[in-house]
Amino acid sequence: DQQVKQNSPSLSVQEGRISILNCDYTNSMFDYFLWYKKYPAEGPTFLISISSIKDKNEDGRFTVFLNKSAKHLSLHIVPSQPGDSAVYFCAASDSGSARQLTFGSGTQLTVLP
Amino acid sequence: GAVVSQHPSRVICKSGTSVKIECRSLDFQATTMFWYRQFPKQSLMLMATSNEGSKATYEQGVEKDKFLINHASLTLSTLTVTSAHPEDSSFYICSARDPGPTQYFGPGTRLTVL
């Protein structure tokens, strides 16, 4: 049973436009959410996170929105750049001592020049 | 952001030998480190959680005698793949958790067992 789902395996966006990546979760115990960017044969790079007490967090071109009632979060990238092309993973953790992450399956973002 | 290093980045070994992979948090102390394995086209699979000074906690299905984890200091965890076999060939990634809930990942180690 997937507790974190990214239903879109791929997304193509024109350079300069907005990229919106979506993520849904089922475990109501999750209280911290993260987005990572990953290139092939590299480890994930942390992008942005949000605590469940907030509904929005912004860092430069990246904004994460959290809708707790819908158990849905999204990552907005504005403006999109060709260098943003990568696989994006959302992840969630609960308040357990280890803070293990549960990952979604990833969305391949392609930003077209 | 926080930096995590891994060494080596690539290793090729013969079947039956052991391989050690190091994971270091360079600019922060990590009481908890994690080891993942990535299969092609799949998300990361958590292998074990490593806490400084105590035994690692392994996920179901991961052989603790085959994948030895040591977390001797707040900045270093090691994964030793013992008696490696071709099916152990994979991309191994570590992460380190800062005092908060964010995990920072190393660049990964590509293991090829001949």
Side-chain angles (χ1 to χ4, degrees):
Chain A
D1 177 36
Q2 277 187 292
Q3 297 189 63
V4 178
K5 295 180 182 180
Q6 293 177 255
N7 292 317
S8 298
S10 63
L11 173 69
S12 291
V13 172
Q14 207 68 37
E15 179 179 6
R17 307 293 289 269
I18 184 172
S19 296
I20 300 176
L21 298 105
N22 294 302
C23 181
D24 298 293
Y25 63 97
T26 57
N27 188 343
S28 58
M29 299 302 292
F30 288 146
D31 64 354
Y32 193 74
F33 304 89
L34 310 92
W35 283 95
Y36 290 89
K37 173 182 179 181
K38 189 180 184 305
Y39 295 111
E42 293 185 13
T45 300
F46 170 70
L47 286 174
I48 192 169
S49 62
I50 187 167
S51 164
S52 60
I53 61 173
K54 295 186 175 181
D55 56 16
K56 178 182 176 181
N57 188 25
E58 190 172 356
D59 184 0
R61 297 187 297 116
F62 302 95
T63 303
V64 56
F65 294 92
L66 175 62
N67 183 332
K68 281 183 62 178
S69 61
K71 293 190 175 66
H72 177 83
L73 65 154
S74 61
L75 174 68
H76 292 210
I77 306 174
V78 180
S80 301
Q81 301 172 352
D84 296 329
S85 298
V87 177
Y88 288 77
F89 290 98
C90 70
S93 74
D94 60 27
S95 57
S97 60
R99 280 281 179 188
Q100 292 178 350
L101 294 180
T102 301
F103 283 90
S105 54
T107 297
Q108 170 71 55
L109 173 66
T110 302
V111 180
L112 305 169
Chain B
V3 180
V4 176
S5 70
Q6 265 184 257
H7 178 79
S9 57
R10 304 175 65 93
V11 57
I12 300 173
C13 68
K14 293 182 178 180
S15 185
T17 60
S18 295
V19 173
K20 180 186 283 188
I21 303 170
E22 291 187 349
C23 176
R24 295 181 185 270
S25 57
L26 298 185
D27 51 2
F28 67 100
Q29 293 185 329
T31 55
T32 306
M33 289 184 169
F34 303 85
W35 287 94
Y36 294 83
R37 182 172 176 174
Q38 182 178 23
F39 296 93
K41 298 184 179 179
Q42 293 184 14
S43 185
L44 301 177
M45 183 195 81
L46 178 65
M47 298 174 65
T49 301
S50 164
N51 289 297
E52 185 266 339
S54 62
K55 290 184 178 180
T57 302
Y58 291 82
E59 295 301 301
Q60 193 172 14
V62 178
E63 299 176 57
K64 62 180 181 180
D65 294 330
K66 180 167 189 59
F67 298 99
L68 300 179
I69 291 172
N70 182 276
H71 192 163
S73 78
L74 288 173
T75 59
L76 173 64
S77 176
T78 60
L79 168 68
T80 301
V81 183
T82 63
S83 187
H85 290 284
E87 57 265 30
D88 299 324
S89 298
S90 190
F91 193 59
Y92 293 88
I93 308 174
C94 73
S95 71
R97 184 167 65 81
D98 67 6
T102 300
Q103 286 185 32
Y104 296 92
F105 287 82
T109 297
R110 168 68 62 189
L111 171 63
T112 302
V113 184
L114 303 177

